[in-house]
Short mmCIF file of all heavy atoms in Angstrom, two decimals:
data_model
loop_
_atom_site.label_atom_id
_atom_site.label_comp_id
_atom_site.label_asym_id
_atom_site.label_seq_id
_atom_site.Cartn_x
_atom_site.Cartn_y
_atom_site.Cartn_z
N GLU B 201 13.28 24.38 -10.71
CA GLU B 201 13.27 25.85 -10.61
C GLU B 201 14.14 26.26 -9.43
O GLU B 201 14.09 25.64 -8.37
CB GLU B 201 11.81 26.30 -10.38
CG GLU B 201 11.60 27.78 -10.40
CD GLU B 201 11.33 28.31 -11.79
OE1 GLU B 201 11.33 27.49 -12.75
OE2 GLU B 201 11.11 29.52 -11.93
N GLY B 202 14.92 27.27 -9.60
CA GLY B 202 15.73 27.79 -8.50
C GLY B 202 16.91 26.89 -8.19
O GLY B 202 17.28 26.02 -8.98
N ALA B 203 17.50 27.13 -7.02
CA ALA B 203 18.74 26.47 -6.67
C ALA B 203 18.54 24.98 -6.35
O ALA B 203 19.31 24.13 -6.78
CB ALA B 203 19.38 27.17 -5.47
N THR B 204 17.48 24.66 -5.62
CA THR B 204 17.28 23.28 -5.18
C THR B 204 16.53 22.46 -6.22
O THR B 204 15.98 23.00 -7.17
CB THR B 204 16.48 23.23 -3.87
OG1 THR B 204 15.12 23.52 -4.17
CG2 THR B 204 17.02 24.19 -2.86
N GLN B 205 16.51 21.15 -6.01
CA GLN B 205 15.74 20.25 -6.88
C GLN B 205 14.34 20.03 -6.30
O GLN B 205 13.61 19.16 -6.75
CB GLN B 205 16.34 18.88 -6.97
CG GLN B 205 17.65 18.56 -7.58
CD GLN B 205 18.44 19.55 -8.33
OE1 GLN B 205 18.56 20.72 -7.94
NE2 GLN B 205 19.03 19.08 -9.38
N ARG B 206 13.99 20.79 -5.28
CA ARG B 206 12.70 20.56 -4.65
C ARG B 206 11.62 21.47 -5.19
O ARG B 206 10.45 21.29 -4.88
CB ARG B 206 12.81 20.77 -3.14
CG ARG B 206 13.73 19.75 -2.50
CD ARG B 206 13.31 19.44 -1.11
NE ARG B 206 14.32 18.66 -0.42
CZ ARG B 206 14.32 18.44 0.88
NH1 ARG B 206 13.36 18.97 1.63
NH2 ARG B 206 15.25 17.71 1.43
N GLN B 207 12.03 22.44 -5.96
CA GLN B 207 11.03 23.27 -6.63
C GLN B 207 10.88 22.75 -8.04
O GLN B 207 11.83 22.75 -8.83
CB GLN B 207 11.47 24.72 -6.67
CG GLN B 207 10.98 25.53 -5.49
CD GLN B 207 11.26 27.01 -5.70
OE1 GLN B 207 10.73 27.64 -6.59
NE2 GLN B 207 12.13 27.53 -4.87
P DA C 23 32.91 16.83 -9.06
OP1 DA C 23 33.52 17.10 -10.38
OP2 DA C 23 33.66 17.03 -7.80
"O5'" DA C 23 31.55 17.65 -8.97
"C5'" DA C 23 30.44 17.27 -9.76
"C4'" DA C 23 29.22 17.97 -9.22
"O4'" DA C 23 28.70 17.24 -8.08
"C3'" DA C 23 29.49 19.40 -8.74
"O3'" DA C 23 28.47 20.23 -9.23
"C2'" DA C 23 29.46 19.28 -7.21
"C1'" DA C 23 28.49 18.12 -7.00
N9 DA C 23 28.70 17.32 -5.79
C8 DA C 23 29.87 16.74 -5.34
N7 DA C 23 29.73 16.07 -4.23
C5 DA C 23 28.39 16.20 -3.92
C6 DA C 23 27.62 15.72 -2.85
N6 DA C 23 28.10 14.96 -1.87
N1 DA C 23 26.31 16.05 -2.83
C2 DA C 23 25.82 16.80 -3.83
N3 DA C 23 26.45 17.31 -4.88
C4 DA C 23 27.74 16.97 -4.86
P DT C 24 28.60 21.77 -9.27
OP1 DT C 24 28.10 22.21 -10.58
OP2 DT C 24 29.95 22.15 -8.78
"O5'" DT C 24 27.54 22.21 -8.18
"C5'" DT C 24 26.25 21.62 -8.19
"C4'" DT C 24 25.61 21.81 -6.85
"O4'" DT C 24 26.11 20.87 -5.89
"C3'" DT C 24 25.81 23.20 -6.26
"O3'" DT C 24 24.53 23.76 -6.09
"C2'" DT C 24 26.55 22.92 -4.95
"C1'" DT C 24 26.10 21.50 -4.64
N1 DT C 24 26.91 20.68 -3.71
C2 DT C 24 26.28 20.07 -2.64
O2 DT C 24 25.10 20.20 -2.41
N3 DT C 24 27.10 19.31 -1.84
C4 DT C 24 28.45 19.10 -2.00
O4 DT C 24 29.08 18.40 -1.22
C5 DT C 24 29.04 19.76 -3.14
C7 DT C 24 30.51 19.59 -3.39
C6 DT C 24 28.26 20.50 -3.93
P DA C 25 24.23 25.18 -5.56
OP1 DA C 25 23.23 25.81 -6.44
OP2 DA C 25 25.51 25.85 -5.27
"O5'" DA C 25 23.51 24.79 -4.19
"C5'" DA C 25 22.62 23.67 -4.16
"C4'" DA C 25 21.97 23.58 -2.81
"O4'" DA C 25 22.80 22.79 -1.93
"C3'" DA C 25 21.76 24.91 -2.10
"O3'" DA C 25 20.51 24.86 -1.40
"C2'" DA C 25 22.96 25.02 -1.16
"C1'" DA C 25 23.28 23.56 -0.86
N9 DA C 25 24.71 23.24 -0.75
C8 DA C 25 25.71 23.62 -1.59
N7 DA C 25 26.90 23.16 -1.26
C5 DA C 25 26.64 22.41 -0.12
C6 DA C 25 27.48 21.67 0.73
N6 DA C 25 28.80 21.54 0.53
N1 DA C 25 26.92 21.06 1.78
C2 DA C 25 25.60 21.17 1.97
N3 DA C 25 24.71 21.85 1.25
C4 DA C 25 25.30 22.46 0.21
P DG C 26 19.92 26.11 -0.70
OP1 DG C 26 18.48 26.03 -0.91
OP2 DG C 26 20.71 27.29 -1.14
"O5'" DG C 26 20.22 25.86 0.85
"C5'" DG C 26 20.42 24.53 1.31
"C4'" DG C 26 20.72 24.52 2.79
"O4'" DG C 26 22.10 24.14 2.97
"C3'" DG C 26 20.57 25.86 3.52
"O3'" DG C 26 20.05 25.59 4.82
"C2'" DG C 26 21.99 26.42 3.56
"C1'" DG C 26 22.83 25.15 3.61
N9 DG C 26 24.12 25.24 2.94
C8 DG C 26 24.44 25.96 1.82
N7 DG C 26 25.70 25.82 1.46
C5 DG C 26 26.22 24.95 2.39
C6 DG C 26 27.53 24.43 2.52
O6 DG C 26 28.51 24.63 1.81
N1 DG C 26 27.64 23.58 3.62
C2 DG C 26 26.61 23.28 4.48
N2 DG C 26 26.89 22.44 5.47
N3 DG C 26 25.39 23.75 4.37
C4 DG C 26 25.26 24.58 3.31
P DG C 27 19.85 26.71 5.89
OP1 DG C 27 18.51 26.54 6.45
OP2 DG C 27 20.28 28.00 5.33
"O5'" DG C 27 20.91 26.26 7.00
"C5'" DG C 27 20.93 24.90 7.45
"C4'" DG C 27 22.11 24.71 8.37
"O4'" DG C 27 23.33 24.75 7.59
"C3'" DG C 27 22.23 25.81 9.43
"O3'" DG C 27 22.45 25.21 10.70
"C2'" DG C 27 23.42 26.66 8.97
"C1'" DG C 27 24.24 25.67 8.14
N9 DG C 27 24.96 26.27 7.02
C8 DG C 27 24.47 27.12 6.07
N7 DG C 27 25.37 27.47 5.19
C5 DG C 27 26.54 26.81 5.59
C6 DG C 27 27.84 26.82 5.02
O6 DG C 27 28.23 27.42 4.03
N1 DG C 27 28.71 26.01 5.76
C2 DG C 27 28.37 25.31 6.89
N2 DG C 27 29.34 24.60 7.45
N3 DG C 27 27.16 25.31 7.42
C4 DG C 27 26.29 26.08 6.72
P DT C 28 22.68 26.09 11.98
OP1 DT C 28 22.18 25.32 13.12
OP2 DT C 28 22.21 27.48 11.73
"O5'" DT C 28 24.27 26.13 12.07
"C5'" DT C 28 24.99 24.89 11.98
"C4'" DT C 28 26.40 25.12 12.49
"O4'" DT C 28 27.25 25.50 11.37
"C3'" DT C 28 26.50 26.23 13.53
"O3'" DT C 28 27.24 25.77 14.66
"C2'" DT C 28 27.18 27.39 12.79
"C1'" DT C 28 27.95 26.68 11.67
N1 DT C 28 28.04 27.44 10.40
C2 DT C 28 29.21 27.43 9.70
O2 DT C 28 30.20 26.83 10.07
N3 DT C 28 29.18 28.15 8.52
C4 DT C 28 28.12 28.87 8.01
O4 DT C 28 28.23 29.49 6.96
C5 DT C 28 26.92 28.85 8.80
C7 DT C 28 25.70 29.59 8.34
C6 DT C 28 26.92 28.13 9.95
P DA D 3 37.97 30.96 2.13
OP1 DA D 3 39.40 31.19 1.81
OP2 DA D 3 37.01 30.62 1.07
"O5'" DA D 3 37.91 29.84 3.26
"C5'" DA D 3 38.57 30.06 4.51
"C4'" DA D 3 38.29 28.86 5.40
"O4'" DA D 3 36.91 28.93 5.86
"C3'" DA D 3 38.45 27.51 4.69
"O3'" DA D 3 39.01 26.59 5.62
"C2'" DA D 3 37.03 27.15 4.29
"C1'" DA D 3 36.21 27.77 5.42
N9 DA D 3 34.86 28.22 5.05
C8 DA D 3 34.48 28.81 3.88
N7 DA D 3 33.20 29.13 3.84
C5 DA D 3 32.73 28.74 5.09
C6 DA D 3 31.46 28.80 5.68
N6 DA D 3 30.39 29.32 5.06
N1 DA D 3 31.34 28.33 6.94
C2 DA D 3 32.42 27.81 7.54
N3 DA D 3 33.66 27.70 7.08
C4 DA D 3 33.75 28.19 5.84
P DC D 4 39.22 25.06 5.23
OP1 DC D 4 40.43 24.60 5.94
OP2 DC D 4 39.09 24.90 3.76
"O5'" DC D 4 37.95 24.39 5.93
"C5'" DC D 4 37.70 24.65 7.31
"C4'" DC D 4 36.41 23.95 7.70
"O4'" DC D 4 35.29 24.67 7.15
"C3'" DC D 4 36.31 22.52 7.18
"O3'" DC D 4 36.11 21.67 8.30
"C2'" DC D 4 35.13 22.53 6.21
"C1'" DC D 4 34.33 23.73 6.71
N1 DC D 4 33.48 24.43 5.72
C2 DC D 4 32.16 24.71 6.05
O2 DC D 4 31.72 24.39 7.16
N3 DC D 4 31.36 25.35 5.14
C4 DC D 4 31.87 25.70 3.95
N4 DC D 4 31.05 26.32 3.10
C5 DC D 4 33.21 25.41 3.59
C6 DC D 4 33.98 24.78 4.49
P DC D 5 36.10 20.09 8.10
OP1 DC D 5 36.83 19.50 9.24
OP2 DC D 5 36.45 19.74 6.70
"O5'" DC D 5 34.54 19.82 8.31
"C5'" DC D 5 33.82 20.57 9.30
"C4'" DC D 5 32.38 20.13 9.24
"O4'" DC D 5 31.67 20.94 8.27
"C3'" DC D 5 32.22 18.68 8.79
"O3'" DC D 5 31.25 18.07 9.63
"C2'" DC D 5 31.76 18.78 7.33
"C1'" DC D 5 31.03 20.12 7.32
N1 DC D 5 31.04 20.85 6.02
C2 DC D 5 29.88 21.55 5.64
O2 DC D 5 28.90 21.54 6.40
N3 DC D 5 29.87 22.22 4.46
C4 DC D 5 30.97 22.22 3.69
N4 DC D 5 30.89 22.90 2.55
C5 DC D 5 32.15 21.50 4.04
C6 DC D 5 32.14 20.83 5.22
P DT D 6 31.06 16.49 9.60
OP1 DT D 6 31.28 15.98 10.96
OP2 DT D 6 31.79 15.92 8.44
"O5'" DT D 6 29.49 16.40 9.30
"C5'" DT D 6 28.61 17.35 9.90
"C4'" DT D 6 27.38 17.46 9.04
"O4'" DT D 6 27.65 18.25 7.87
"C3'" DT D 6 26.84 16.11 8.56
"O3'" DT D 6 25.47 16.08 8.88
"C2'" DT D 6 27.11 16.13 7.05
"C1'" DT D 6 27.05 17.62 6.75
N1 DT D 6 27.76 18.09 5.53
C2 DT D 6 27.13 19.00 4.71
O2 DT D 6 26.02 19.41 4.91
N3 DT D 6 27.87 19.39 3.63
C4 DT D 6 29.15 18.99 3.28
O4 DT D 6 29.71 19.43 2.29
C5 DT D 6 29.75 18.04 4.18
C7 DT D 6 31.11 17.54 3.89
C6 DT D 6 29.04 17.64 5.26
P DA D 7 24.57 14.75 8.67
OP1 DA D 7 23.80 14.58 9.92
OP2 DA D 7 25.38 13.67 8.12
"O5'" DA D 7 23.54 15.26 7.55
"C5'" DA D 7 23.04 16.61 7.63
"C4'" DA D 7 22.36 16.97 6.36
"O4'" DA D 7 23.30 17.40 5.35
"C3'" DA D 7 21.56 15.82 5.72
"O3'" DA D 7 20.22 16.32 5.54
"C2'" DA D 7 22.30 15.61 4.39
"C1'" DA D 7 22.76 17.04 4.10
N9 DA D 7 23.76 17.26 3.07
C8 DA D 7 23.65 18.08 2.02
N7 DA D 7 24.70 18.13 1.24
C5 DA D 7 25.57 17.28 1.82
C6 DA D 7 26.87 16.88 1.51
N6 DA D 7 27.52 17.35 0.44
N1 DA D 7 27.47 16.01 2.32
C2 DA D 7 26.80 15.57 3.39
N3 DA D 7 25.58 15.85 3.80
C4 DA D 7 25.01 16.72 2.98
P DT D 8 19.13 15.49 4.84
OP1 DT D 8 17.84 16.08 5.21
OP2 DT D 8 19.42 14.06 5.06
"O5'" DT D 8 19.36 15.78 3.29
"C5'" DT D 8 19.14 17.08 2.79
"C4'" DT D 8 19.47 17.10 1.32
"O4'" DT D 8 20.88 16.83 1.14
"C3'" DT D 8 18.75 16.02 0.52
"O3'" DT D 8 17.88 16.68 -0.37
"C2'" DT D 8 19.86 15.24 -0.20
"C1'" DT D 8 21.04 16.19 -0.09
N1 DT D 8 22.40 15.57 -0.07
C2 DT D 8 23.31 15.96 -1.01
O2 DT D 8 23.07 16.78 -1.86
N3 DT D 8 24.54 15.34 -0.93
C4 DT D 8 24.94 14.40 -0.01
O4 DT D 8 26.06 13.93 -0.04
C5 DT D 8 23.93 14.03 0.97
C7 DT D 8 24.25 13.02 2.01
C6 DT D 8 22.72 14.62 0.89
P DG D 9 16.93 15.90 -1.37
OP1 DG D 9 15.80 16.78 -1.69
OP2 DG D 9 16.72 14.55 -0.81
"O5'" DG D 9 17.84 15.77 -2.66
"C5'" DG D 9 18.18 16.94 -3.40
"C4'" DG D 9 19.08 16.54 -4.54
"O4'" DG D 9 20.32 16.05 -3.99
"C3'" DG D 9 18.52 15.42 -5.41
"O3'" DG D 9 18.30 15.94 -6.71
"C2'" DG D 9 19.60 14.33 -5.40
"C1'" DG D 9 20.82 15.06 -4.85
N9 DG D 9 21.72 14.22 -4.07
C8 DG D 9 21.43 13.54 -2.90
N7 DG D 9 22.46 12.88 -2.44
C5 DG D 9 23.48 13.13 -3.34
C6 DG D 9 24.82 12.68 -3.37
O6 DG D 9 25.40 11.95 -2.57
N1 DG D 9 25.50 13.18 -4.48
C2 DG D 9 24.97 14.01 -5.42
N2 DG D 9 25.77 14.37 -6.42
N3 DG D 9 23.72 14.43 -5.41
C4 DG D 9 23.04 13.96 -4.36
P DT D 10 17.80 15.03 -7.91
OP1 DT D 10 17.05 15.93 -8.79
OP2 DT D 10 17.18 13.81 -7.37
"O5'" DT D 10 19.16 14.64 -8.64
"C5'" DT D 10 19.98 15.69 -9.12
"C4'" DT D 10 21.22 15.09 -9.75
"O4'" DT D 10 21.98 14.40 -8.73
"C3'" DT D 10 20.95 14.07 -10.85
"O3'" DT D 10 21.56 14.56 -12.03
"C2'" DT D 10 21.57 12.77 -10.34
"C1'" DT D 10 22.57 13.26 -9.30
N1 DT D 10 22.84 12.34 -8.17
C2 DT D 10 24.11 11.87 -7.99
O2 DT D 10 25.04 12.14 -8.74
N3 DT D 10 24.28 11.04 -6.90
C4 DT D 10 23.31 10.67 -5.99
O4 DT D 10 23.58 9.93 -5.04
C5 DT D 10 21.99 11.20 -6.23
C7 DT D 10 20.88 10.86 -5.31
C6 DT D 10 21.82 12.00 -7.29
#
Side-chain angles (χ1 to χ4, degrees):
Chain B
E201 186 88 359
T204 74
Q205 294 353 41
R206 295 211 190 168
Q207 268 189 65

